[in-house]
């Protein structure tokens, strides 16, 4: 995330999530594979949660750096 503004990072991350986990989930749903769909829903949730935590951690680190530079 370093070097990118938050909007660009979010767009890139969302694109990656949709291309990987989203398309896998759509394929499983199209195949009417309930077990695989359920598994992929959990995987999608984990990936989204990880992205949120990544953005939060970067925000905290950015705020710390900014505070240190201002001191």
């Amino acid at each position: 995330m370093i070097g990118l503004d938050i909007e660009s990072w979010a767009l890139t991350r969302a694109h990656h999530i949709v291309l990987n986990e989203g398309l896998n989930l759509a394929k499983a749903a199209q195949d009417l594979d309930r077990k695989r769909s359920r598994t992929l829903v959990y995987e999608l949730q984990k990936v989204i949660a990880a992205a949120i935590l990544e953005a939060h951690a970067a925000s905290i680190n950015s705020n710390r750096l900014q505070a240190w530079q201002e001191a």
Side-chain angles (χ1 to χ4, degrees), residues 23-68:
L23 289 180
N24 289 339
L25 178 57
K27 177 74 169 112
Q30 186 178 30
D31 293 343
L32 301 175
D33 186 342
R34 290 182 181 202
K35 184 177 180 182
R36 180 139 173 82
S37 293
R38 192 174 314 116
T39 299
L40 291 170
V41 164
Y42 293 127
E43 286 298 316
L44 182 58
Q45 289 172 342
K46 286 180 0 186
V47 170
I48 291 170
I52 291 169
L53 290 174
E54 182 182 345
H56 180 68
S59 173
I60 289 173
N61 290 337
S62 176
N63 289 341
R64 286 182 182 165
L65 178 61
Q66 185 179 14
W68 179 78

